[in-house]
Amino acid sequence: MRTSNDAVLGLDWVRSSCTLPTAEQPFRVVEFDDLFAIAVRAVDRLSPTTLRLTVDANAAARATELADRESSCCSFFGFEFAPAATQAAAQGAGDTVAIQVTVPAAHTAVLDAFAARAATRADTAALAIRPER
């Protein structure tokens, strides 16, 4: 059950279907916030059920480990990793990895909140959630 404090604590995107113990959920949110702030270079919404995060390749192992743990407690999340050739990389920002995050249609609100949190926390001055064209 979600409470009004969830938004304040950053848990507004954590679904009740998540099996991670409630006491551990704020720590997981902090782990994602750190990843978003340190490594995310772009957030692209490909469809209502698909999000692409472009992250610094140096954070790929950390992102993979975090995604594996998230999938084990929130099985509706899908994470796929692949090398990415992005504008950031072309501008000399270094190698990047694309993380495609998917959810079933019933969980698009979770992905909406996840995407907004990633964009808000990302350490990129002009970053915004960009729709795919």
Side-chain angles (χ1 to χ4, degrees):
M1 180 175 169
R2 299 286 154 232
T3 68
S4 60
N5 288 332
D6 289 346
V8 173
L9 296 173
L11 299 175
D12 49 326
W13 61 276
V14 178
R15 295 287 296 198
S16 59
S17 56
C18 179
T19 62
L20 185 67
T22 303
E24 294 178 28
Q25 290 176 2
F27 299 108
R28 180 68 54 84
V29 171
V30 168
E31 288 183 273
F32 272 107
D33 284 351
D34 287 347
L35 178 69
F36 297 154
I38 293 167
V40 170
R41 302 293 172 251
V43 178
D44 298 296
R45 192 61 177 264
L46 305 180
S47 75
T49 60
T50 307
L51 173 73
R52 181 178 54 224
L53 301 174
T54 303
V55 301
D56 187 299
N58 292 327
R62 179 179 174 195
T64 300
E65 187 268 335
L66 184 56
D68 287 346
R69 287 190 291 127
E70 187 64 17
S71 294
S72 71
C73 65
C74 294
S75 61
F76 59 85
F77 269 118
F79 295 91
E80 291 183 28
F81 290 75
T86 66
Q87 185 176 9
Q91 294 174 346
D95 293 331
T96 58
V97 172
I99 304 171
Q100 187 164 300
V101 184
T102 58
V103 297
H107 295 289
T108 57
V110 177
L111 192 60
D112 292 342
F114 187 86
R117 193 158 188 97
T120 300
R121 300 300 191 273
D123 187 25
T124 304
L127 184 64
I129 299 174
R130 303 177 303 198
E132 191 67 16
R133 296 178 192 227

